Amino acid sequence: MRDAYVVGAGMIDFGELYDQSFDDLLEAAYLNLLEDVDKGVEPSDIDAGWYGTIDFANEGSSGASVAHATGLFEKPITRVENACATGSDAFRNASLAVRAGEVDLALVIGAEKMLDDTAGLIQGAAVERLWRGRGVTMPAFFGMRATRHMEVYGTTKAQIAEVSVKNHENGTKYPHAHQQFECTVEDVQDSPTVSYPLNLYDCCPVTDGACAVLLAGEDVAHEYTDEPVRHAGWGLSSDTFQRGDDLALSNFPASRHASSRAYERSGYGPDDVDVAEVHDCFSITELITYEDLGFCGDGEGGEFIESGAPRLDGHTPVNPSGGLLSKGHPIGATGVAQIAEIYEQLRDEAGDVQVDDPEVGLQHNIGIGRNATGAVSCVNVFDRG
Amino acid sequence: MVAVVVIAGCGGYVPLYRIDREAIAEQHGGRGSGESAVPGRDENHVTMAVEAAELAVERAAVDELDAVVSASITDPFAEHGIAAHVAYRLGATGEVRTADFRASGRAGTDALAFARDFVRARDGTVLVVAADVLPVEPGHDDEPYAGAGAGAAVLVPDAEEPAATITAVGEATTGFVERHRLHDGVATGGDGRFEREAGFGPAVSAAIERSGVDDPDRAVVAAHDARMASGAVEDASHESTFGSVGYAGAASYYLDLAHCLEEADAGESVVAVAYGPGGADAVALETGTTADVGLTVAEQLDSKEYVTYAKHLEYRERTEYTGVTVA
Amino acid sequence: MSGPRYHRPKRQDQRLVAFECQSCGWVSYPERKRTCKGCSAAPAEYEEVQLQERGEIKTFVVQHYLPDDIETPQPVAIVDVPQVGDGEPARIYGLLAESELDELEVGREVEARFRELFDDGDRPINSFKFAVPRGEK
Ligand SMILES: [Zn+2]
């Protein structure tokens, strides 16, 4: 089987995009992508598309919506939905088709309109009707891991807040980030309690956004750029705390399964990762992801952030883009945007957030589903090919 | 036919929350003493009834129920009931009689008398449970005394260590109906002195006389007016939760009865009276031993949290029930 | 309490009936399943078990932003609810009633309390919440 390469990325500025419709977001990301490809690309070269969205806005958005927004008719375009791993799983599916040789050039596009109906975020809570009254929301699902992590490992609220401080600092240097402000540990701790032990600045904002990347088979990749980025490994896994494993109360075993598969496929390990874009829907999520991805040992996430290792100039820079905490989390776009950032990093094009000469990059999502009792994780590993 | 019916176990349920009657007085003037029980926002007639019913069943140590009977004067549902829900929760489905008594403060003894007759006729085990949340109208004279709670008793033909033995039931239907209340309003009582002389007095004394009780050690008299009730049985120790729960409708009778049986020594004589529109009943009892299971009414009265005046209004208001008119 | 959505899990919701996998011992609640999350048996053989009306807090949060029909702050926990008799506990979400942040900690014993979870139109949907034991209040 041949390898698949990223040959272009089109990011839009994330934010409160009240003046843009769902289709406008798709169109903007697509146009930016076409613009971004080093040697140019003709729309007619694109063989197929994978579209990541959870259709939060409930507009019945399907593969055909991408055709409408891009003009790419008569081509197979498939919508992928997999909770917070939606964008990264859309990418993974596209890559598999490219590797199989069925598709030479694949569009991966993710978009989410989060702000057309704000009531949905709390009311929906991704919870089936029977469970909705049980009052379990996103901050609760992740906050419970924070409580458990603090209890079992002695992690402190200040250490958790440090993640938010780091990512907001990075976000001010990343032009596409929704929130452009720095904060201190005190600011985080003084912000309103959303769901004890998480405060407002421990939580990512509600953000509209879209992003697109282009995947090419290794034999055609150089027609589009001289610096393609290789999709070196991937893993996708799900889990639920209901299975009874105590680790699932403080961490995400799904992230461990997905990353070990991705490491195994790529031949890299956690020590080889030079830059990572990981899922920080909440500050605690990134802290426990350090452990789940093997950047540090179990229970050492608090020390890891305190040591400065995940900072831009640290040993393993994590979320140079500012992460979801400052960039925002338009769900279907999130994973694709992380991949776009890794693409830039591995090409030394990341501007003010460029880390020092990275060879290997990792992208990670952890999402919730199934009445918030379950988790799904997708991990993709990249290198300079 | 079974001659004697015993209460195998009984129990009360008082919600955690209380409103200090002074807090109500502060809103509307006047003075207040004592407190009234306020249900949690997530409590309803069925959940409170289940709390009391589970305790009574556990104390009674019975395995199966042949009938579940409820009493309530504030159940918001015209159709829906309480008894069937409690029966399901307790696993008492199948060949099980249910009945819901309502419409008078006397509903508690209506249910008890029915249960006693059922036990005698069918040699069965009957759970009687009462639950009420009295509606309030801000500023209304009754507001400080609007209570909430539940109580239950399990009646059987015989038990090794009954909580009490029912020796007689004295009934007095007078047809005197002065107090009345629409589903969406608070009660209209009329002249208290008139009610005491023309309604309460004749009904209660007739019922007590018919119960055959003479000079009881303890008395329970459940009525919407505590002052009226307190003088009804001379020389007996009067057991009442009115000062700390308020008037909890049909549930007051069972709360007071449970409290009385929990406090009494074995072998005491008790008369337990309920008065409401239409008449009164007096149940004559001889106390036994209440099993040391769960929390007593006294312990629940001590276990409390005070709520603000606003919460007292909000918590009583059911989404499907317009019993509260917030001005 | 009816309508098919609420009727199906009514025994679990109101009587704390759970289901134990006979090959691995994993306990399913409130779902009534034919496959097993513990050992992936399919079909798995399940037997009904009765849960106790108490549990242990494994972790918790106190939520401050919820739909209007839920009172805040609203604590919610993951609770291990033991069976009556031997066997594994069921690990479930439990809303906590009448419990404040300073009363909560991992490992705390809570008792099951029958409460109104929410309403379906006019009708209350009653099931179990958990609370710091009333006797300790
Ligand atoms: Zn199994």
Side-chain angles (χ1 to χ4, degrees), chain C residues 21-26 36-41 44 46:
Chain C
C21 173
Q22 295 306 293
S23 22
C24 75
W26 181 76
C36 181
K37 287 188 171 112
C39 66
S40 303
Y46 277 101

